[in-house]
């Protein structure tokens, strides 16, 4: 560690707390991913089958109870994890790829620069939620529509960050030397630029996954979820549509588990992303002091 980084390094106790929170976050995300992957094995019932009495509290046959249709809520939670996490990770991967490509091309490709920067500015100036609602309403709420739509509205901000890092990197001596030695643009991107922006893109991937999971739930609560898929958001939507949810205790086994799952995964991804950002970015460390 050089002198500059050492000067802004947080105290050892703070570093341990951050590492502990990031490790806990990783454990939470990993556990949820494993549960989602094993949903077909672990779910005791078909999540859409009418497998029990209506609004039944947790029991041996239905460990998380049932909803107003008699569907097993443990099964809907497990299969909902697969959809919610799948949408989050897929949208984040596509969005991160777009941010990286646009950020680098807007520096290295002079013909594409004006178009990419103009498109970035337009999307940055457009509110995400109204644009998503309009697009989902026009295209339909199918999951394979939702993933690209979430990606398309979430790439511009980090494309600007990647562009700034790329613009600074191309001025470094080793990049100028590689260019003078006749390295092709593609080789410069692979060997000089990508290593500099990949940490930024990793942070972007984590934070966008969190955002995409939340947006999927928000759209589901607005009635804009895929009716053929069970997700945490659609389970919450069904729960809040039940008029007697808070009259008894049904909210405890119907609405609370998916809400806690969404909160847990978003907090876990935030902890991992913030720790990663602080580890990579000395300026961010200074802001925390």
């Amino acid at each position: 560690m050089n002198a500059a980084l050492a000067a802004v390094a947080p105290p050892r106790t703070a570093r341990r707390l951050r590492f502990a929170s990031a490790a806990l976050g990783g454990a939470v995300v990993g556990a949820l991913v494993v549960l989602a992957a094993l949903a077909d094995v672990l779910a005791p019932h078909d999540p859409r089958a009418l497998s029990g009495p209506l609004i039944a509290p947790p029991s041996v046959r239905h460990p998380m109870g049932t909803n107003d249709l008699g569907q097993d809520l443990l099964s809907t939670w497990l299969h909902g994890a697969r959809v919610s996490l799948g949408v989050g990770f897929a949208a984040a991967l596509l969005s991160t790829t777009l941010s990286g490509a646009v950020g680098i091309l807007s520096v290295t490709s002079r013909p594409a620069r004006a178009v990419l920067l103009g498109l970035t500015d337009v999307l940055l100036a457009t509110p995400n939620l109204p644009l998503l609602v309009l697009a989902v309403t026009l295209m339909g709420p199918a999951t394979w529509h939702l993933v690209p739509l979430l990606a398309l509205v979430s790439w511009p901000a980090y494309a600007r960050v990647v562009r700034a890092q790329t613009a600074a990197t191309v001025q470094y001596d080793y990049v100028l030397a590689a260019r003078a030695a006749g390295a092709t643009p593609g080789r410069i991107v692979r060997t000089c630029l990508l290593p500099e922006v990949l940490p930024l893109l990793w942070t972007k991937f984590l934070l966008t996954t969190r955002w995409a999971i939340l947006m999927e739930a928000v759209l589901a609560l607005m009635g804009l979820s895929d009716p053929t898929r069970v997700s945490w958001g659609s389970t919450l939507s069904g729960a809040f549509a039940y008029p007697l949810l808070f009259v008894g205790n049904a909210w405890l086994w119907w609405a609370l588990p998916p809400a806690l799952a969404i909160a847990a995964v978003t907090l876990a991804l935030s902890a991992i992303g913030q720790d990663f950002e602080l580890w990579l970015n000395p300026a961010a460390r200074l802001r925390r002091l």
Side-chain angles (χ1 to χ4, degrees):
M1 179 181 293
N2 59 37
L5 288 180
V8 299
R12 180 175 299 179
T13 303
R15 289 202 304 271
R16 287 178 175 173
L17 287 174
R18 280 213 317 272
F19 176 77
S21 64
L24 179 60
V28 170
V29 174
L32 289 173
V33 168
V34 170
L35 290 174
L38 297 177
D40 289 334
V41 178
L42 298 177
H45 303 278
D46 182 334
R48 295 199 168 279
L50 310 182
S51 56
L54 311 184
I55 314 294
S59 62
V60 174
R61 178 171 171 77
H62 301 286
M64 282 190 180
T66 63
N67 61 14
D68 61 338
L69 297 177
Q71 295 168 331
D72 181 68
L73 288 172
L74 174 59
S75 302
T76 61
W77 189 93
L78 289 168
H79 284 272
R82 178 178 292 179
V83 173
S84 295
L85 295 177
V87 167
F89 286 129
L93 179 61
L94 182 55
S95 174
T96 302
T97 303
L98 286 171
S99 292
V102 171
I104 292 175
L105 283 175
S106 64
V107 175
T108 58
S109 175
R110 193 182 298 273
R113 183 175 305 164
V115 174
L116 293 176
L117 291 180
L119 180 61
T120 302
D121 290 339
V122 168
L123 288 175
L124 280 174
T126 306
N128 286 348
L129 186 57
L131 180 61
L132 275 174
V133 171
L134 177 62
V136 173
T137 303
L138 293 175
M139 297 178 62
T143 302
W144 62 279
H145 288 162
L146 189 58
V147 169
L149 288 175
L150 290 171
L152 284 173
V153 301
S154 62
W155 64 263
Y158 249 81
R160 283 287 189 183
V161 177
V162 172
R163 172 180 161 74
Q165 180 62 49
T166 304
T169 303
V170 296
Q171 304 300 323
Y172 291 169
D173 290 342
Y174 69 91
V175 179
L176 297 175
R179 186 176 296 168
T184 62
R187 183 175 177 81
I188 291 175
V189 169
R190 288 195 307 274
T191 60
C192 302
L193 302 183
L194 274 179
E196 293 291 333
V197 302
L198 276 178
L200 295 173
L201 296 178
W202 172 240
T203 303
K204 152 55 175 185
F205 174 78
L206 292 172
L207 299 181
T208 302
T209 301
R210 177 196 64 176
W211 175 84
I213 291 171
L214 283 174
M215 290 308 300
E216 190 278 334
V218 169
L219 291 172
L221 285 169
M222 298 173 70
L224 297 173
S225 62
D226 188 344
T228 65
R229 304 281 183 182
V230 175
S231 69
W232 289 335
S234 66
T235 303
L236 279 175
S237 177
F240 286 115
Y242 181 61
L244 303 179
L245 179 66
F246 294 104
V247 173
N249 294 325
W251 64 274
L252 286 173
W253 63 82
W254 191 356
L256 192 59
L260 288 178
I262 292 172
V265 74
T266 53
L267 288 174
L269 289 168
S270 294
I272 301 171
Q274 289 176 4
D275 184 68
F276 201 77
E277 183 183 20
L278 289 173
W279 177 55
L280 292 168
N281 188 356
R285 295 181 206 169
L286 281 173
R287 289 196 297 270
R288 292 295 183 92
L289 293 178

